[in-house]
Amino acid sequence: MPADYKNILDNLATAVLVLSPELKVRYLNPAAENLLETSITRIKDFSICDMFVESADALKTLLASSKNGQSYTKREAEFMLASGTRFTVDYSVSSIGTEPCDLLMELQSRDRLLRISREEDIISQQETTRILVRGMAHEIKNPLGGIRGAAQLLDRELNDEGQREYTRVIIDEADRLRGLVDRMLGPNRALRLAPTNIHEVLERVRTLLEAESRHRLVFERDYDPSLPELNGDKEQLIQAFLNIARNAMEAAFEHTDRSASPEPPTIMFRTRALRQFTIGHHRYRLVCRVDVIDNGPGIPAELLQNVFYPMISGRANGTGLGLSITQSIIGQHHGLVECESEPGRTNFIIFLPLEETT
């Protein structure tokens, strides 16, 4: 490659690869090295097929482009790093030289855009849920109050103990429904913010679940000790993480019981610091990422997109309120909860700002 062209490519922000007609890597510019987390010295003469997570037809199209010089663009293709991490890109292919020719491949990472779009959907979903639940709570609580009051008056007038038993059932059920509505609304007190160590929160959750599971649950911890304290409500954060971890515990036990898996029910807590990270519409200098990972059966695909809505649950005895409340608590801390799931591995990812926006 001529030196002047190489200088231009080396200074581009766009990731660029040059491939031989056999689809072997001949050149990476620095932007491509950053994106692929490797260097040209490590993967020179490696086949691009080793990095693609693509169909055979997509690779045939690449080879055909080398033979006929046809340029084209592919949307949302998957690459896989040596670490096993996958990421999504758009790429454009152009021919260089005579046929069969080298190929110039330009990569544009889509992961950040897809994540921002997904976060906006979650935030919009959360706001819609909040408005819907508050409106529904108002409509339910008013008649419930009337029903309970009428039952109390009737209870005082009745002399037959057998008949009074029915009025008490009405009062108890009205109280139960009111409690359910209050839980749907989430915490009804303002945050009590104070410097909070996220690892103390996670350790409290671990201690509680170890007691609940009678030490049948295996905990793995991978903490970043450099994380500073965050400004949060410790008790509410414990409740938020407990909701997630308890769901994970129940899923892991259910999976082990049904499949007779040799792996014990396991939950991992992992923490990491992210710098210059965007949550919703705000960019923060420093963000804490917490992963709560279980080895349960996974969340069905039809539930995954709606898992944070109230009353959505994959378990027969679940109320579907825990994750909705968790999203509300984390949202009050200006954070966000996401979920990735496949059979044998479900990961709830919690982002919490550690420093102010930039």
Side-chain angles (χ1 to χ4, degrees), residues 260-272:
S261 170
E263 293 185 6
T266 303
I267 294 178
M268 169 176 274
F269 290 155
R270 178 190 297 140
T271 60
R272 291 292 184 270

Side-chain angles (χ1 to χ4, degrees), residues 176-193:
R176 186 177 67 83
L177 286 173
R178 185 181 182 90
L180 180 63
V181 171
D182 287 338
R183 287 182 61 202
M184 289 175 65
L185 290 171
N188 57 3
R189 65 171 176 83
L191 296 178
R192 296 170 183 167
L193 299 177

Side-chain angles (χ1 to χ4, degrees), residues 104-174:
L104 184 75
M105 177 181 281
E106 302 171 65
L107 306 179
Q108 294 282 351
S109 177
R110 291 278 297 170
D111 278 358
R112 182 174 176 79
L113 293 174
L114 291 172
R115 189 183 66 79
I116 290 173
S117 175
R118 186 171 64 248
E119 285 184 359
E120 288 178 345
D121 287 344
I122 291 173
I123 291 169
S124 174
Q125 187 183 93
Q126 183 181 351
E127 182 63 18
T128 301
T129 300
R130 188 183 65 82
I131 294 170
L132 185 147
V133 167
R134 290 192 182 279
M136 186 172 66
H138 176 76
E139 294 300 322
I140 291 175
K141 279 186 171 183
N142 283 344
L144 269 183
I147 292 169
R148 191 183 192 284
Q152 283 179 312
L153 291 173
L154 184 58
D155 187 72
R156 293 172 190 166
E157 296 294 326
L158 294 173
N159 295 320
D160 188 322
E161 191 62 31
Q163 292 179 331
R164 294 180 69 184
E165 184 179 338
Y166 298 124
T167 59
R168 287 167 189 163
V169 168
I170 296 171
I171 293 169
D172 290 344
E173 289 302 294

Side-chain angles (χ1 to χ4, degrees), residues 142 150 187 196 228 258 270 274 278:
N142 283 344
T196 303
R258 286 185 178 180
R270 178 190 297 140
L274 305 175
T278 302

